[in-house]
Amino acid sequence: MNRVETLDHGTRVFTAPGATFGTDALLLARFARPRRQERALDLCSGCGIVALLWHDEGHRGPCTALELDPDASALCAAAVADNGADHIAPLCADLRDFCRAGADQGRYDFAACNPPYFAAGPRSPDPVRAAARHTDTCTLADAVNAAARALRDGGRFVLCHRPDQLAEVLCTLRAARLEPKRLAFVRQRPGSIPWLFVVEAQKGRHPGLRLEPDLVIEAGAARYGK
């Protein structure tokens, strides 16, 4: 059964079992966002939460919401129609094939990705949930390279991941000429161990990473809804 979640400024998001969203997606969308008229790309879009939250916060530039699962992409399309968010274009496709043609490369100003986190470990018996959590169809390198192909020089990319993968994430970004510029850890409460980090990188820029204040969930860092 589908559910409806309402964001702070009234944008409606449609979810279903296997196509929901979590705190990490909300934090990702709020940590950095495209300027009002920039061309944006939401990789691993799922039900479209990141693109729709940008819309809720005032983004009106062209936005591609790319998702491999057709059911999740259909939920995004329904929400786009429901909210009159015509600037968002849901695209059901594999990011590993995205922006391969020369004419399509370097067209975007801003990109974001909430990728699968796990290469191993227990798997859900539901293949849709398993695909969303495990890297079978989208490794870290797949996501980073898709963003690097899509972004113009100077374009920004924001990514969330688990702290135990921090070194790999930073190395993978740099290998793709996406220079890490801002980094924040996410904690449930002050003094607790971080369970997530969010990083913003910029294509083709010089080194210089700024550590941002921690995002504390109990302080309302991921607040949404009414």
Side-chain angles (χ1 to χ4, degrees):
M1 180 179 295
N2 293 357
R3 294 185 57 190
V4 178
E5 305 281 1
T6 304
L7 301 179
D8 290 339
H9 300 104
T11 299
R12 288 154 54 91
V13 182
F14 299 155
T15 67
T20 59
F21 62 88
T23 302
D24 50 357
L26 298 172
L27 291 164
L28 176 73
R30 294 185 187 279
F31 182 69
R33 65 191 64 160
R35 298 178 181 91
R36 182 176 175 84
Q37 295 299 332
E38 283 187 328
R39 183 180 294 273
L41 173 62
D42 176 14
L43 295 167
C44 300
S45 182
C47 65
I49 176 58
V50 170
L52 291 165
L53 196 149
W54 290 340
H55 169 81
D56 194 62
E57 295 291 336
H59 179 244
R60 295 296 182 270
C63 180
T64 302
L66 190 147
E67 169 56 39
L68 181 62
D69 176 55
D71 293 333
S73 188
L75 287 172
C76 179
V80 166
D82 181 77
N83 292 288
D86 298 344
H87 63 103
I88 300 175
L91 175 62
C92 186
D94 192 325
L95 61 72
R96 293 172 293 189
D97 300 324
F98 188 67
C99 281
R100 289 289 185 184
D104 292 333
Q105 294 180 5
R107 298 177 60 238
Y108 291 86
D109 303 298
F110 191 94
C113 187
N114 179 12
Y117 297 148
F118 303 104
R123 298 177 65 90
S124 169
D126 182 341
V128 175
R129 290 180 183 273
R133 291 173 57 83
H134 289 264
T135 60
D136 300 359
T137 58
C138 176
T139 65
L140 172 63
D142 290 335
V144 168
N145 289 333
R149 291 193 301 270
L151 287 171
R152 62 170 175 80
D153 190 55
R156 296 179 294 150
F157 176 50
V158 62
L159 175 81
C160 59
H161 219 292
R162 292 164 56 87
D164 60 358
Q165 298 298 308
L166 177 59
E168 182 180 357
V169 169
L170 298 182
C171 289
T172 304
L173 288 169
R174 275 194 158 177
R177 295 185 60 246
L178 294 171
E179 186 62 35
K181 288 295 185 180
R182 298 170 58 225
L183 173 70
F185 290 100
V186 181
R187 304 176 190 269
Q188 186 64 33
R189 62 187 66 84
S192 63
I193 296 173
W195 62 273
L196 189 79
F197 71 86
V198 192
V199 62
E200 180 183 351
Q202 196 169 15
K203 184 175 178 179
R205 292 301 183 256
H206 295 299
L209 176 63
R210 182 172 76 246
L211 190 62
E212 303 272 331
D214 290 346
L215 302 174
V216 180
I217 300 303
E218 288 187 352
R223 178 182 59 84
Y224 79 99
K226 295 184 177 180

